């Protein structure tokens, strides 16, 4: 059978495409390498649990994202249950679509300067549905923070840098949604809240 | 094949390759559970994580890859000779019809059930609509001649 020039051209493109697709599939379907603990944990401002725990969970989160609010309760349960065996690291990753996400992250970091990071963190998630500038001030007052310092710190370059550094780290490892969890450096693909519980429980059990 | 039809077949072939490459990129992210470059915020991630993106356990981009690969092969085979080209045109239209039904269903699912828009799915849906339009146009040209 004599092939027309049109058929030859199509055949060439077809073969080229198949080679590209096969090459890309081979290259891309290799499992992603775990991210080094140093990169995810070192420099983290806020952790719960022993620093040398064999199992570590890093969360990139946004105080205004509804899914983060739902996972907050699961994380709380896990950090309570495995307080001696799990290192939990919280990293800020406020999404631009959430108006109050950045002020909330600044508020948590400003509260940290007065030793009340986790109190503010808990309060922000607990009151997520009603987050506003007024609500943040009210939470800070209820916690007994020095309001003048708190307001000043929220706008300080130091606080902004902590949040910006967390975002830059998230960007550098390809995060584009919240919450994103890394368990022992491996990104978790979670479809339900229970998936996180199962993943952490299994990792802890494997370390026994 | 008529010159105009030949041009349309070439365009469908190129669009099928583009769709296939997009599908492969998104599929690898589904398989590796890694992030997708997305200009529509976290929409791609929301779509990837949703169980609705795995009808009968098959990742949606795998269906796209299969569909575009099939279109690519059909458009290639249509160049062999005029008779085969005519015989295969209904297959191209059939595949494109299935394609637009599928992308319409999935776009509806994204917007109203997953509540997230994946940029790649949107581009692929548009691509399939164009392919459908071009294949119908080919049929009209074929009928005229």
């Amino acid at each position: 059978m004599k092939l027309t020039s049109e058929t030859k051209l199509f055949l060439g493109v077809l073969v080229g495409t198949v080679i590209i697709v096969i090459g890309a599939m081979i290259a891309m379907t290799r499992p992603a390498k775990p991210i080094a603990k140093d990169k995810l944990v070192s420099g983290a401002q806020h952790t719960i649990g022993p620093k040398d725990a064999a199992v570590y969970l890093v969360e990139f989160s946004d105080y205004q994202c509804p899914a983060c609010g739902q996972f907050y309760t699961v994380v709380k349960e896990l950090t309570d249950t495995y307080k001696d065996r799990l290192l939990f690291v919280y990293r800020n990753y406020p999404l631009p679509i959430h108006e109050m996400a950045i002020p909330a992250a600044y508020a948590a970091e400003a509260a940290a300067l007065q030793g009340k990071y986790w109190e503010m963190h808990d309060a922000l998630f607990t009151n997520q549905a009603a987050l506003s500038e007024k609500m943040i001030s009210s939470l800070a007052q209820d916690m007994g923070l020095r309001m003048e310092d708190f307001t000043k710190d929220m706008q300080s370059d130091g606080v902004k840098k902590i949040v910006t550094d967390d975002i830059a780290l998230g960007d550098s490892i390809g995060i584009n949604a919240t919450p994103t969890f890394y368990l022992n450096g491996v990104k978790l693909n979670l479809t339900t809240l229970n998936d996180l519980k199962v993943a952490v429980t299994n990792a802890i059990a494997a370390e026994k | 094949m008529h010159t105009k039809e030949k041009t349309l077949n070439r365009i469908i072939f190129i669009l099928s390759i583009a769709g296939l490459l997009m599908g492969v990129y998104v599929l690898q992210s589904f398989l590796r559970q890694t992030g997708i470059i997305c200009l529509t915020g976290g929409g791609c991630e929301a779509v990837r994580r949703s169980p609705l993106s795995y009808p009968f356990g098959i990742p949606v981009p795998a269906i796209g890859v299969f569909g575009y690969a099939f279109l690519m092969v059909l458009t290639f085979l249509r160049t062999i000779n005029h008779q085969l080209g005519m015989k295969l045109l209904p297959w191209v239209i059939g595949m494109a019809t299935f394609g637009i039904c599928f992308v319409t269903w999935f776009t509806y699912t994204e917007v109203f059930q997953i509540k997230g828009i994946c940029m790649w799915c949107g581009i692929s849906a548009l691509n399939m609509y164009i392919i459908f339009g071009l294949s119908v146009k080919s049929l009209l040209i074929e009928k005229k001649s």
Side-chain angles (χ1 to χ4, degrees):
Chain A
M1 185 175 64
K2 199 167 180 252
L3 296 179
T4 63
S5 58
E6 180 87 351
T7 308
K8 281 179 191 166
L9 176 70
F10 271 51
L11 187 60
V13 177
L14 196 78
V15 170
T17 306
V18 169
I19 291 169
I20 291 171
V21 167
I22 292 172
M25 286 305 276
I26 291 170
M28 294 189 298
T29 49
R30 283 188 193 138
K33 278 185 189 166
I35 297 173
K37 186 176 181 180
D38 274 359
K39 189 169 185 180
L40 282 174
V41 177
S42 69
Q45 305 289 322
H46 313 293
T47 63
I48 296 176
K51 295 260 194 238
D52 59 348
V55 179
Y56 63 97
L57 178 70
V58 181
E59 179 183 10
F60 285 82
S61 181
D62 167 326
Y63 286 110
Q64 210 185 351
C65 119
C68 303
Q70 291 177 334
F71 274 101
Y72 161 73
T73 51
V74 180
V75 169
K76 189 98 182 134
E77 196 185 317
L78 289 168
T79 50
D80 286 346
T81 310
Y82 302 113
K83 58 185 169 206
D84 300 326
R85 292 158 65 195
L86 174 70
L87 170 66
F88 172 68
V89 179
Y90 184 89
R91 295 278 200 179
N92 296 293
Y93 200 79
L95 297 174
I97 50 166
H98 295 142
E99 201 186 321
M100 287 309 297
I102 288 183
Y106 289 167
E109 298 300 341
L113 297 174
Q114 296 185 44
K116 300 243 169 143
Y117 176 79
W118 290 109
E119 286 88 335
M120 181 59 87
H121 173 91
D122 292 344
L124 289 168
F125 274 128
T126 311
N127 295 282
Q128 189 188 54
L131 275 186
S132 66
E133 299 278 0
K134 208 174 152 190
M135 165 64 78
I136 289 173
S137 291
S138 152
L139 294 173
Q141 265 169 350
D142 292 349
M143 268 170 230
L145 298 180
R146 296 181 305 277
M147 289 310 289
E148 205 176 310
D149 290 345
F150 175 74
T151 313
K152 205 172 81 189
D153 290 339
M154 265 188 73
Q155 299 306 320
S156 73
D157 290 343
V159 157
K160 286 180 182 170
K161 189 177 181 306
I162 294 169
V163 176
T164 313
D165 286 352
D166 278 357
I167 297 171
L169 174 66
D171 289 341
S172 74
I173 57 176
I175 285 175
N176 55 10
T178 56
T180 297
F181 289 93
Y182 285 86
L183 182 62
N184 289 345
V186 177
K187 189 177 179 183
L188 296 179
N189 181 53
L190 307 168
T191 43
T192 67
L193 298 178
N194 198 47
D195 288 350
L196 177 63
K197 226 184 272 186
V198 171
V200 172
T201 307
N202 289 346
I204 299 262
E207 286 302 325
K208 266 184 183 172
Chain B
M1 230 191 285
H2 192 278
T3 318
K4 262 190 183 173
E5 217 195 316
K6 213 182 232 182
T7 309
L8 290 177
N9 194 53
R10 282 179 186 173
I11 299 171
I12 295 173
F13 183 69
I14 292 165
L15 292 178
S16 302
I17 292 174
L20 178 80
L21 295 176
M22 265 191 293
V24 168
Y25 170 66
V26 179
L27 179 62
Q28 63 83 27
S29 142
F30 271 59
L31 298 177
R32 294 170 78 206
Q33 309 294 356
T34 53
I36 311 172
I37 296 167
C38 197
L39 299 179
T40 48
C44 299
E45 281 292 300
V47 170
R48 183 173 65 79
R49 289 180 185 194
S50 170
L52 294 168
S53 303
Y54 298 81
F56 307 106
I58 304 165
V60 160
I63 299 168
V65 166
F66 170 79
Y68 282 120
F70 191 54
L71 279 169
M72 197 173 81
V73 172
L74 285 176
T75 44
F76 159 67
L77 292 175
R78 288 193 71 217
T79 62
I80 291 175
N81 62 50
H82 182 67
Q83 257 189 329
L84 189 61
M86 273 174 63
K87 266 189 195 168
L88 290 178
L89 184 57
W91 285 79
V92 175
I93 295 173
M95 185 64 233
T97 306
F98 169 77
I100 60 162
C101 292
F102 185 79
V103 297
T104 305
W105 163 76
F106 194 63
T107 305
Y108 170 84
T109 305
E110 280 183 89
V111 175
F112 295 104
Q113 291 181 275
I114 302 174
K115 297 189 194 316
I117 297 281
C118 172
M119 171 185 83
W120 299 104
C121 308
I123 296 173
S124 181
L126 181 67
N127 194 33
M128 192 53 87
Y129 270 97
I130 296 171
I131 289 175
F132 175 74
L134 296 177
S135 60
V136 170
K137 177 108 179 141
S138 286
L139 182 71
L140 295 176
I141 293 169
E142 190 67 49
K143 276 193 174 169
K144 259 189 191 173
S145 62

